[in-house]
Amino acid sequence: MGNIHPLFWGHVYGTGSTIGALAEFITGTMNTMSWGGQQASIYLERKVLSWLNLLLGFPNDETSSGILVSGTSVATIIALAVARKKFHQRTMVIYCSKDTHSCIVRAANLLGINKENIVYVLTNEQRQIDVQALEACIDPNACGFIVGSAGTVGTGAIDDLQGLADICARRPNDLWFHVDGAIGAVACCSRRLRPLFTGLERADSIAFDLHKWLFVPYECGCILVRDGQLHRSTFAQPTVSYLTLMDGGITPSEGEHFFSDYGLELSRNTKALKVWMTLKTYGIERFGRIMEQNVDQAFYFAHLIEQHSNQFELLAKVTLNIVCFRYIVCFPVRTHERHLNTQKHANIEANLFQEESNLNNGNLSDDEKQNMEQRIYDLKQQKQDYLVANEILANEIIIKYLASSTTKY
Amino acid sequence: MGNIHPLFWGHVYGTGSTIGALAEFITGTMNTMSWGGQQASIYLERKVLSWLNLLLGFPNDETSSGILVSGTSVATIIALAVARKKFHQRTMVIYCSKDTHSCIVRAANLLGINKENIVYVLTNEQRQIDVQALEACIDPNACGFIVGSAGTVGTGAIDDLQGLADICARRPNDLWFHVDGAIGAVACCSRRLRPLFTGLERADSIAFDLHKWLFVPYECGCILVRDGQLHRSTFAQPTVSYLTLMDGGITPSEGEHFFSDYGLELSRNTKALKVWMTLKTYGIERFGRIMEQNVDQAFYFAHLIEQHSNQFELLAKVTLNIVCFRYIVCFPVRTHERHLNTQKHANIEANLFQEESNLNNGNLSDDEKQNMEQRIYDLKQQKQDYLVANEILANEIIIKYLASSTTKY
């Protein structure tokens, strides 16, 4: 079962879209190298970034900067590198919650930031970073890179971005406000959902994916940086000889925009085309409606779980399109859309019911029950009728339902 | 004039191919997230990497590792990070020549390696790193990351890879042999050209592009690492909760190959398909012939220059498909394949001849002559009949001709 199956409810994978696939074909046909110069792809990327600035309420002028990248992991590396440049040779501590995505640790690791300089702040019962706890643990003698999540990958929780922005605004020379909006930030497409992200627009940097909830084909993420000059000075290399800028040539004079000055790569394809074509074809408002539908589906699903509280248990507040829950007794099996070999399917189903019936046996220890739950989860995946994901909350393996398909629109 | 114009002789841009564009379309249609798990894309990438190991004579077993990335810039970041992991907390000095690509400095900058720890070694008259000079300047008390170029982007010079491998073999615990094969390594497709790269197969890491001379659409590069375990331990994160590995599910048990453990990203598209389809369609041997043809074109062009030594001057030894030269007097104008507005074209041409005639005027100072040469170069680009690139050798702006099209085959 692939990402694009309509019953794929596991992990935050984007489904892509038809127009996105076509855009990839056209991009491959032109095979433009989008590092800079007076090429359509450069103007296209600048246009797309301008739209994204408007979408997220970020400064949409020459003072800020941005670049399309492979995804939030690379966007985070860039943000962290720019912040380190700002805090030049001073100690930088990263503050985030345990629910923050692992790309933060990966980026810190790459940049040579010690584990000891990553501080995990407690979360509140809504699994948001605890703003008071954060304030209490900020080192007044060090610089800080404060990470707010605009939708955690575990439960979809959105941190109090306004609260985090306030903290950083008090010490702008020492604190950097970074938002990890990988899965959620694009929900700003919806007027109804946008207020959830209030404060996002005050970030020093926003990293987010377009290949998840915006349905652009892999790979496509973005980093926006408030201080564009700082961003450029972090990555721009002294001009290499064969790229010497010359008026009138294909490598024009200084002042032209070179995306290779803002990221890790010199050779780049044209990610902007698939974003441009996707947004032009479907439009921001339609994506807003899809996202609202997905969120509504999640709330409806959560509602069903609450109605069956003898069998299921909801384990985290639903904010966006993610529902975390666990079985208490058993899980009804969906019977439509069966593609598998019938015999294999029947065997799996028999196993499944056997396991579930064992689970109902009150003589099992908690450990045994948990093992059983895990085993049932595995069998659900093997059945391949639908796919939900696993998650660990409070050290328990649980089930995660995630709505991000475009079934209706 | 784009990368794919048959008279595009500037910069090392790949042209891509029809099958490559189609592969991008199919990749977009499936929109697979290729981080790991039991998916076709993972097996495809392992197959492609196995072919690349064989092509470059690298160990093709479980001891080595590799991953497809956006290009050599990211491949270099990965190689440098793995070497730093090996030399854990010891000082690491980077040794390279001035002709080494700027991606080395960019990677060092990102990883927080000080400029002072980058040592530029002299080059010999063939613009290869001077092996004796290198030996003399290696710090016996520090670890070293030694960069050999398998084709520099400036002149196509190939360093004495065997000599560099020998140096590193003497202190394997302290020295890391990295090869930047961005533009050249894939020329191993040709049996005739392969001997130029002898020693490449002894590298600790090889970074190279498939989107240049192998005609795979942007973006596609590769990093191969001899010590696969070290590579994995540099990037693998502690398993995050929602990716907990489970037998029978879509996130299978430990032991399965997760590409996200070997690079910067978790979300990855399927770059392997375009490589697989390209190699299956055209075949290694055919690419070998194309590369031989390109090299022959470069040698022929250099021969023409030598025949017109009153007008032109060859400025670097031709090794691969790059010819660096300068005008002495004037440059004959090609007249076929004109697409431009005729009037505009005529104006540019008139300017061009005017400038050239000025250049012939013996009363100009050297500075004025150089300015003229640059201006002529600019006008050549504006004419857009063909495109050559600029390059700086010995502080002079010169012209670079680069053959990498697939005109014949």
Side-chain angles (χ1 to χ4, degrees):
Chain A
M1 187 183 297
N3 314 350
I4 56 178
H5 191 287
L7 297 180
F8 183 90
W9 295 321
H11 306 297
V12 197
Y13 290 174
T15 56
S17 69
T18 316
I19 200 74
L22 187 61
E24 289 288 57
F25 177 58
I26 297 172
T27 302
T29 308
M30 299 192 299
N31 202 39
T32 305
M33 212 283 255
S34 302
W35 61 288
Q38 288 167 333
Q39 301 184 80
S41 65
I42 304 305
Y43 296 101
L44 204 62
E45 185 158 348
R46 297 188 74 176
K47 171 57 79 181
V48 161
L49 288 168
S50 158
W51 290 345
L52 295 172
N53 280 329
L54 290 171
L55 181 67
L56 303 187
F58 215 62
N60 186 29
D61 53 32
E62 296 294 315
T63 64
S64 73
S65 58
I67 183 171
L68 296 178
V69 293
S70 60
T72 294
S73 291
V74 166
T76 304
I77 291 167
I78 291 174
L80 201 57
V82 178
R84 182 180 61 180
K85 174 88 177 174
K86 171 171 176 157
F87 299 141
H88 183 63
Q89 293 189 335
R90 296 163 66 195
T91 304
M92 179 168 72
V93 180
I94 298 173
Y95 300 93
C96 58
S97 84
K98 273 279 183 200
D99 281 13
T100 307
H101 194 269
S102 60
C103 69
I104 298 287
V105 178
R106 192 195 284 252
N109 186 32
L110 186 73
L111 267 65
I113 295 169
N114 288 331
K115 277 184 198 164
E116 295 73 44
N117 287 334
I118 305 178
V119 173
Y120 295 100
V121 183
L122 291 176
T123 49
N124 62 23
E125 60 186 12
Q126 291 173 18
R127 302 191 73 90
Q128 298 167 306
I129 198 165
D130 185 318
V131 175
Q132 285 188 321
L134 169 66
E135 273 200 286
C137 70
I138 290 178
D139 181 346
N141 302 314
C143 301
F145 183 86
I146 293 176
V147 184
S149 293
T152 61
V153 73
T155 68
I158 301 169
D159 289 333
D160 174 5
L161 303 177
Q162 195 71 282
L164 298 180
D166 286 342
I167 291 175
C168 294
R170 270 174 239 139
R171 288 175 58 203
N173 294 326
D174 306 318
L175 298 178
W176 182 281
F177 179 31
H178 173 74
V179 173
D180 180 344
I183 68 159
V186 290
C188 288
C189 287
S190 149
R191 281 176 197 272
R192 194 187 92 196
L193 299 173
R194 205 175 296 163
L196 293 170
F197 301 95
T198 304
L200 169 71
E201 72 288 352
R202 295 171 63 193
D204 291 301
S205 55
I206 311 175
F208 58 106
D209 280 328
L210 308 175
H211 59 207
K212 290 190 172 112
W213 218 0
L214 205 66
F215 308 103
V216 170
Y218 287 107
E219 302 165 346
C220 197
C222 181
I223 177 74
L224 299 178
V225 178
R226 183 169 301 275
D227 185 341
Q229 226 163 354
L230 184 68
H231 183 182
R232 186 177 185 278
S233 71
T234 308
F235 288 101
Q237 296 291 312
T239 307
V240 286
S241 59
Y242 65 100
L243 302 177
T244 303
L245 305 176
M246 292 181 177
D247 278 326
I250 57 159
T251 50
S253 61
E254 296 277 358
E256 285 297 321
H257 196 89
F258 277 71
F259 279 104
S260 51
D261 286 346
Y262 295 85
L264 309 185
E265 288 121 353
L266 189 60
S267 293
R268 306 172 66 238
N269 66 6
T270 306
K271 292 184 175 62
L273 185 65
K274 58 186 172 186
V275 185
W276 190 87
M277 282 175 65
T278 300
L279 291 177
K280 278 285 188 185
T281 303
Y282 304 108
I284 292 284
E285 291 200 358
R286 193 167 176 190
F287 280 120
R289 289 200 301 276
I290 292 170
M291 290 162 190
E292 288 169 15
Q293 186 191 41
N294 292 158
V295 173
D296 290 345
Q297 286 162 340
F299 273 92
Y300 176 67
F301 191 74
H303 172 71
L304 289 180
I305 286 175
E306 282 170 336
Q307 281 191 321
H308 296 78
S309 58
N310 57 331
Q311 289 175 303
F312 302 108
E313 189 183 353
L314 207 57
L315 292 164
K317 182 173 178 282
V318 177
T319 310
L320 290 174
N321 54 340
I322 298 174
V323 183
C324 292
F325 66 104
R326 66 191 287 272
Y327 308 100
I328 298 175
V329 186
C330 73
F331 194 82
V333 176
R334 293 188 71 131
T335 49
H336 63 283
E337 293 232 355
R338 293 206 168 138
H339 315 284
L340 284 187
N341 174 299
T342 320
Q343 185 53 46
K344 188 181 166 201
H345 189 273
N347 289 344
I348 290 175
E349 196 125 317
N351 280 336
L352 186 59
F353 281 114
Q354 184 57 45
E355 302 263 8
E356 282 175 347
S357 121
N358 287 344
L359 194 63
N360 283 331
N361 183 331
N363 299 329
L364 293 175
S365 74
D366 282 353
D367 272 5
E368 283 169 326
K369 272 189 186 170
Q370 192 176 324
N371 284 339
M372 282 294 177
E373 284 189 339
Q374 179 173 330
R375 184 79 191 116
I376 288 176
Y377 165 77
D378 299 342
L379 289 166
K380 298 280 180 204
Q381 280 202 349
Q382 279 183 350
K383 275 179 76 268
Q384 299 186 14
D385 271 356
Y386 52 85
L387 195 140
V388 288
N390 46 318
E391 176 63 65
I392 295 179
L393 288 181
N395 295 322
E396 261 196 304
I397 292 168
I398 59 136
I399 295 169
K400 191 165 82 173
Y401 160 93
L402 194 139
S404 65
S405 76
T406 53
T407 322
K408 189 171 162 192
Y409 288 93
Chain B
M1 186 185 295
N3 313 351
I4 56 178
H5 191 287
L7 297 181
F8 183 90
W9 295 322
H11 306 296
V12 196
Y13 291 176
T15 56
S17 68
T18 316
I19 201 74
L22 188 62
E24 289 290 56
F25 177 58
I26 297 172
T27 302
T29 308
M30 299 192 298
N31 202 40
T32 305
M33 212 285 254
S34 303
W35 61 288
Q38 287 166 332
Q39 301 185 80
S41 65
I42 304 306
Y43 295 101
L44 203 62
E45 186 158 348
R46 297 188 74 176
K47 172 56 81 181
V48 161
L49 287 167
S50 158
W51 290 345
L52 295 172
N53 280 328
L54 290 171
L55 180 68
L56 303 187
F58 215 63
N60 186 29
D61 53 31
E62 296 294 316
T63 63
S64 73
S65 58
I67 182 170
L68 297 178
V69 293
S70 60
T72 295
S73 292
V74 166
T76 305
I77 291 168
I78 292 174
L80 201 57
V82 178
R84 183 180 60 181
K85 173 88 178 175
K86 172 172 175 157
F87 299 141
H88 183 62
Q89 295 190 334
R90 295 163 67 196
T91 304
M92 179 167 74
V93 180
I94 298 173
Y95 300 93
C96 57
S97 85
K98 273 279 184 198
D99 281 13
T100 308
H101 195 268
S102 60
C103 69
I104 299 286
V105 178
R106 192 194 284 253
N109 186 30
L110 187 72
L111 268 64
I113 295 168
N114 288 331
K115 277 184 198 164
E116 295 72 44
N117 287 334
I118 304 178
V119 173
Y120 294 100
V121 183
L122 290 177
T123 49
N124 61 24
E125 60 187 12
Q126 290 174 18
R127 303 191 73 91
Q128 299 168 306
I129 198 165
D130 185 319
V131 174
Q132 285 188 321
L134 169 66
E135 273 200 286
C137 70
I138 289 178
D139 181 345
N141 301 314
C143 301
F145 183 86
I146 293 176
V147 183
S149 293
T152 61
V153 74
T155 69
I158 300 169
D159 288 334
D160 174 5
L161 302 177
Q162 196 71 282
L164 298 179
D166 286 342
I167 291 176
C168 294
R170 271 174 238 140
R171 287 175 58 202
N173 294 327
D174 306 318
L175 299 178
W176 182 281
F177 178 31
H178 173 73
V179 172
D180 179 343
I183 69 159
V186 292
C188 287
C189 287
S190 150
R191 281 176 199 273
R192 194 187 92 194
L193 300 172
R194 206 176 297 163
L196 293 171
F197 301 95
T198 304
L200 170 71
E201 72 287 352
R202 294 170 63 193
D204 290 301
S205 54
I206 310 175
F208 58 107
D209 281 328
L210 308 174
H211 59 207
K212 290 191 172 111
W213 219 359
L214 205 65
F215 308 103
V216 170
Y218 286 107
E219 301 163 347
C220 197
C222 181
I223 177 73
L224 299 178
V225 179
R226 184 169 301 274
D227 185 341
Q229 226 163 355
L230 184 68
H231 183 182
R232 186 176 183 279
S233 71
T234 308
F235 289 101
Q237 295 291 311
T239 306
V240 286
S241 59
Y242 65 99
L243 302 176
T244 305
L245 305 175
M246 291 181 176
D247 278 327
I250 58 158
T251 50
S253 61
E254 296 276 358
E256 285 297 322
H257 195 89
F258 277 71
F259 279 103
S260 50
D261 287 345
Y262 294 86
L264 310 185
E265 288 120 353
L266 189 60
S267 293
R268 304 172 67 239
N269 65 5
T270 306
K271 292 183 175 62
L273 185 65
K274 58 186 172 187
V275 185
W276 190 87
M277 282 176 65
T278 301
L279 290 177
K280 277 284 187 187
T281 304
Y282 305 108
I284 292 284
E285 292 199 358
R286 193 167 175 189
F287 279 121
R289 288 201 302 275
I290 292 170
M291 290 161 190
E292 287 169 16
Q293 186 191 41
N294 292 158
V295 172
D296 290 346
Q297 285 163 341
F299 273 91
Y300 176 66
F301 191 73
H303 172 69
L304 289 180
I305 286 174
E306 282 169 338
Q307 282 192 320
H308 296 77
S309 57
N310 57 331
Q311 290 176 302
F312 302 108
E313 188 184 353
L314 208 57
L315 291 163
K317 181 173 178 281
V318 176
T319 310
L320 290 173
N321 54 340
I322 298 174
V323 183
C324 292
F325 67 104
R326 66 192 287 272
Y327 308 98
I328 299 177
V329 186
C330 73
F331 193 80
V333 176
R334 294 190 69 132
T335 49
H336 63 282
E337 293 231 357
R338 295 213 165 131
H339 315 283
L340 285 186
N341 174 299
T342 321
Q343 185 52 48
K344 188 182 167 200
H345 189 273
N347 289 344
I348 291 175
E349 197 126 316
N351 280 336
L352 187 58
F353 280 114
Q354 185 56 46
E355 303 262 6
E356 282 174 349
S357 122
N358 288 343
L359 195 62
N360 282 330
N361 183 333
N363 300 330
L364 294 175
S365 73
D366 282 354
D367 273 4
E368 283 168 327
K369 273 189 186 168
Q370 193 176 323
N371 284 339
M372 284 293 177
E373 284 189 338
Q374 178 173 330
R375 185 79 192 118
I376 288 176
Y377 165 76
D378 298 343
L379 289 167
K380 296 280 180 205
Q381 280 202 351
Q382 278 183 352
K383 275 180 71 268
Q384 297 187 13
D385 269 356
Y386 51 85
L387 195 139
V388 289
N390 46 317
E391 175 64 68
I392 296 179
L393 288 181
N395 294 321
E396 262 196 303
I397 292 168
I398 59 137
I399 295 170
K400 191 166 81 174
Y401 159 95
L402 194 139
S404 65
S405 77
T406 53
T407 321
K408 189 172 161 191
Y409 289 94

